[in-house]
Amino acid sequence: MICKRMRVALSVTTALMSVGTLASADEMPPERSLSGLEYELIGRADIYAHGTLENYSQAPMLDAMVESGALPPVADRLPAEPIIFKTGAMVDGIGEYGGVFRHVIGGRPEGWNWMAGQHQGWGGINMAMQECLVRQGPRWQVKAEEQTGPLPNLAQSWSFNDDSTELTINLMQGVKWSDGDPFDTEDVRFWYDDNVQNENVASRMAKDSFGAGATLEVIDEYTFKFVFDSPQAETIIENLAYIQGCPGPSHILKEFHPDYADGATYEIYTNALPNDVTPAVVLGAWVPVVHRPDELVIMRRNPYYFKVDEAGNQLPYYNEMHFRLSTWGDRTAQAVAGTGDFSNMEDPGNYVEALKQSQDEASPVRANFGPRVNSWRLLLNYNVDSAENDDEKALRGLFRELDFRLALSHALDRDAIGQALARGPFAYPYIAGFATGSPYYDAGSSDYHPFDQDKANALLDGLGATDTDGNGLRNLPGGGGDIIIPAVVSASSNADIKQLEALASQLEEVGIRVQSRTQDQTTIDTTFTGGAFTALFQRDNLILPTRETCRSWPSGPSCPYFSTGEDLPFEPELEAKLAAFQSSDDAEEQAQLAKDMQAIVTQNAYTIGTVQVPAALLVNKRVKNAHPGTPVFMYEWAEDGVIRERLWTPVAEQETEVLPDTIAEY
Ligand code: GLA
């Protein structure tokens, strides 16, 4: 057995050896793109850059607060060199202050302690509160020759030492939390040492998943460095973007952390910032000030936000942001109806109707399809040791057999699954690895598994998994019970449930039963990251190997979440390829490594993919500065890619604020 901890020791030479072409493999069927996105690519610094301006101004609603002494003047609230958004990259130019941006989401805030892995309900609310060391979302607009590494954010600049084993990062100086407390290296140290590296904390960045053995050293208030045990490059810094590299308020959280507070437990720490206590302390553009469960979260502008436009106006332009707590389907329905401002239309069940309505001249919303980035897959748990009983062990043992996984994959009629989701040209088969919308996807490196029940049956027979008791279901080899796979699925996603139903009925035809177990979104997240499932069906967006890496790739001892035990035969090689990818900034070398990774995961049916579909971004027409080329997901979700802090609505068209003239009070 090769222990996962040893994998990184594999030499890069091995990693760079090509896995060869897929001469004998089946080719992917031809793909028809539906993407209608058109845009010009620009330089990084054309979007934004850190700098200073002579004068700064603020939203008029803050004037009285400064006059009364409740808030320091805007220039004192801003950092030494704020982030300046360039007018040339704004499709509608400098904005007008005020109004409400209305989101609708299907999630519910778990709590405000994102350091401990809690989410705030997704759909853009996490991202509205959190700011991260670097930023990925706007990279969709960056020209190819400037594509190396992420965009700066709280990390203003960085440099590697000569042998690329030390990465020194300079933080922005003078950024403040929404309660006025300074943001500095102590927040970063607390995030990395006391959360990421502390295995008792379910941090979003998995322990040891950020670069070989990276340790953090604080140099001064605004400078720190990561020390790696092998040379790294710009790519690894992508890990420090949303959702992994976003520090929390250490001055608040230490009071609850067992390493700092007497009598505190990790449970107390995780739940230190419950969702019913507002306002939370954030770095983001808006602060949650009201949470009415199952109804609404209201956020108000953060008067300490560290970004401005070129005229010196402190951002954001909108005073208020709403997150109506509903369903993901309702997000699209409300965007189409004009009662919500934004939707990533990603449930194919809605496509035909929503498209029809949004084509109408009078429609309040614009809809633009991008490439295929949403892919769905059945994940099998390969960890035999963590199985609870002998049957479960035997089942997971079977999952570890390549022929079993190939049988499942060949038993799927992916065209039929796609048509069950949405009639029309939307769905395209998905096996494993990168979605076709990824810049790293390569059709020629993908091993396709066409629908072939005879082949599936022969593979299963070959494993000795025959129907020994004549009840129509195959039995575990060696006289075990029926092969019944319980599969967890999100109760809140129709697209997931529908596909799992189709998949189950197709597998039943080759003698394998899949039983669906619905869970709510919050539970399913922890079920997944905790590896507490036999099988799990979900959507994922496999675009970059550096984003939420542990969901899909063997990037450390406890990754991916579905394979935390003994390695499958191909995993060490896959891990070495991934490590080589992360430590390279040579685009050609990375493209080759990505091809190799794609070949490995598809040849080995690492996941049992179903289909992948494009998504369309819906934005209300009264919202200005939403670039029509914004993809629903590329380097990050559209909520980041569209740059919400510079969106605005002309005063005459603004929605009435629920909490006018207020900010979070601590
Ligand atoms: C959920 C939604 C996505 C996107 C993300 C943002 O996953 O389904 O469309 O809004 O949240 O985190």
Side-chain angles (χ1 to χ4, degrees), residues 177-198:
W177 291 94
S178 55
D179 62 355
D181 195 82
F183 165 75
D184 53 30
T185 40
E186 180 53 13
D187 294 306
V188 176
R189 191 204 58 75
F190 177 72
W191 155 71
Y192 194 73
D193 285 351
D194 298 323
N195 291 276
V196 176
Q197 295 305 322
N198 184 332

Side-chain angles (χ1 to χ4, degrees), residues 105 121-127 242 328 331 342-346 374 539 541 547 632-633 636-639:
I105 58 174
W122 309 110
I125 178 167
N126 306 3
M127 286 178 217
Y242 177 83
W328 296 114
R331 172 170 72 166
F342 179 99
S343 181
N344 297 331
M345 184 166 70
E346 59 195 357
N374 288 330
R539 186 198 70 201
N541 299 68
R547 186 181 182 278
V632 165
F633 188 101
E636 191 40 81
W637 285 106
E639 290 90 337

Side-chain angles (χ1 to χ4, degrees), residues 494-544:
N494 289 335
D496 297 24
I497 292 171
K498 246 195 212 162
Q499 286 187 71
L500 185 61
E501 273 168 13
L503 175 146
S505 75
Q506 292 176 2
L507 291 186
E508 188 94 18
E509 289 185 30
V510 297
I512 289 171
R513 178 158 298 162
V514 173
Q515 282 174 341
S516 134
R517 306 254 162 100
T518 52
Q519 283 187 0
D520 65 65
Q521 193 57 53
T522 301
T523 316
I524 216 174
D525 279 344
T526 39
T527 299
F528 179 35
T529 56
F533 58 89
T534 305
L536 188 141
F537 187 79
Q538 66 179 192
R539 186 198 70 201
D540 239 303
N541 299 68
L542 269 105
I543 306 298
L544 298 184

